[in-house]
Amino acid sequence: MKIIRARDYRDMSRKAANIISAQVILRPNCVLGLCSGETPIGTYQQLVEWYDKDDIDFSAVKVVCLDEYVGVPAGDPHTFRYFLGSCLFDCVNLPSGNIFYPDGMAQDLQAECDRYDHIIEDLGGIDLQLLGLGYNGHIGFNEPGSAFEKTTHCVRLAEGTRRANARYFDSMHDVPTQALTLGIKSIMQAKKILLIVSGEDKSYVLEQALFGPVTPRVPASILQLHPDVTVVEHDALRL
Ligand code: F6R
């Protein structure tokens, strides 16, 4: 595991964007796994800036979205698909047919999870998976539990996760209670993983994830077992 300590949020975002950009240059038709949330916004902004300068080409890239709320209709600004669209997809030359995401409005959620796992398999797996870290140690929406859930599945969101995401909704009542998320197996099968973490309020959980025991109670701790993880953090490691 490589740990890169950035000076500030902007530096973290540039470093993460550099790693993603290098992946796209080395393999223009690569499969990127992308997360939503506040942490990657600067990374996506940096990628868009480089795209505008003609420094990065997304025309052959494929993107697999990490997770999606259940029960929020397509096109709703609260969906992660919308979020990633406005931060990145709609701002670069990524063909819409190259974007894959789990449908949180599917009638049969289990069938939808199976469909998504097959898509990832058919794409040949993920070359680079970008991850943020939840305050409770979640990656994707793999919430703390008694076992690592392997494949794409429907989760009941932890109350802490709902509270953390309530800032995007009018009220706590509107925050979805369920989400579809890539499972730990699909994340761990990515050839490279890039974890970005920002801010001292994530210190405790980041240290648990990187240096504590590997346990489903801290889902991100499984990353210790992956052969190619890069962590880019700022202000989140006290050591
Ligand atoms: C989002 C996701 C989550 C977030 C995590 C951190 O697609 O899967 O695991 O990465 O909750 O969120 P922020 O960056 O908002 O602190």
Side-chain angles (χ1 to χ4, degrees):
M1 183 177 292
K2 298 177 207 76
I3 300 177
I4 300 174
R5 308 191 71 174
R7 282 188 306 277
D8 50 29
Y9 179 77
R10 186 156 182 271
D11 188 38
M12 179 199 78
S13 302
R14 280 178 68 87
K15 285 178 161 60
N18 260 307
I19 293 168
I20 296 170
S21 172
Q23 172 68 66
V24 173
I25 290 166
L26 289 170
R27 186 159 188 247
N29 61 344
C30 64
V31 179
L32 297 178
L34 297 182
C35 65
S36 302
E38 200 170 334
T39 316
I41 291 175
T43 304
Y44 297 144
Q45 279 169 348
Q46 183 61 78
L47 289 171
V48 170
E49 206 178 303
W50 286 334
Y51 167 76
D52 287 340
K53 288 184 182 155
D54 225 4
D55 283 338
I56 182 166
D57 174 16
F58 289 92
S59 62
V61 170
K62 288 163 206 102
V63 167
V64 169
C65 304
L66 180 60
D67 40 23
E68 185 55 276
Y69 287 127
V70 167
V72 184
D76 184 303
H78 295 105
T79 60
F80 289 158
R81 171 67 185 81
Y82 184 97
F83 170 87
L84 284 168
S86 56
C87 287
L88 183 68
F89 305 159
D90 301 345
C91 313
V92 300
N93 62 339
L94 184 70
S96 58
N98 286 7
I99 301 167
F100 302 91
Y101 54 95
D103 178 4
M105 290 298 285
Q107 287 287 316
D108 182 342
L109 292 172
Q110 186 51 54
E112 176 58 13
C113 292
D114 296 345
R115 181 191 74 89
Y116 203 53
D117 281 334
H118 283 127
I119 287 176
I120 296 168
E121 214 177 294
D122 290 347
L123 289 171
I126 297 167
D127 290 298
L128 174 64
Q129 175 66 56
L130 178 67
L131 296 173
L133 179 66
Y135 288 101
N136 60 4
H138 73 207
I139 46 176
F141 277 134
N142 290 278
E143 300 284 33
S146 52
F148 289 111
E149 291 268 3
K150 293 187 182 132
T151 53
T152 300
H153 58 286
C154 180
V155 284
R156 177 153 294 281
L157 295 172
E159 276 313 291
T161 300
R162 292 186 67 239
R163 267 197 303 280
N165 290 359
R167 63 192 190 276
Y168 301 112
F169 293 84
D170 290 340
S171 74
M172 181 70 185
H173 177 74
D174 296 327
V175 184
T177 54
Q178 289 179 293
L180 301 182
T181 182
L182 234 70
I184 292 293
K185 182 173 158 204
S186 321
I187 293 174
M188 288 296 280
Q189 279 179 340
K191 293 173 193 88
K192 290 176 197 295
I193 292 180
L194 173 57
L195 175 70
I196 51 175
V197 188
S198 159
E200 55 189 344
D201 50 352
K202 289 198 179 158
S203 302
Y204 179 74
V205 73
L206 180 61
E207 286 163 13
Q208 294 282 308
L210 301 187
F211 311 119
V214 174
T215 164
R217 286 192 296 278
V218 183
S221 63
I222 193 83
L223 300 177
Q224 293 177 35
L225 305 182
H226 191 283
D228 192 347
V229 176
T230 302
V231 181
V232 185
E233 69 81 36
H234 91 86
D235 265 4
L237 271 187
R238 295 166 295 191
L239 307 170

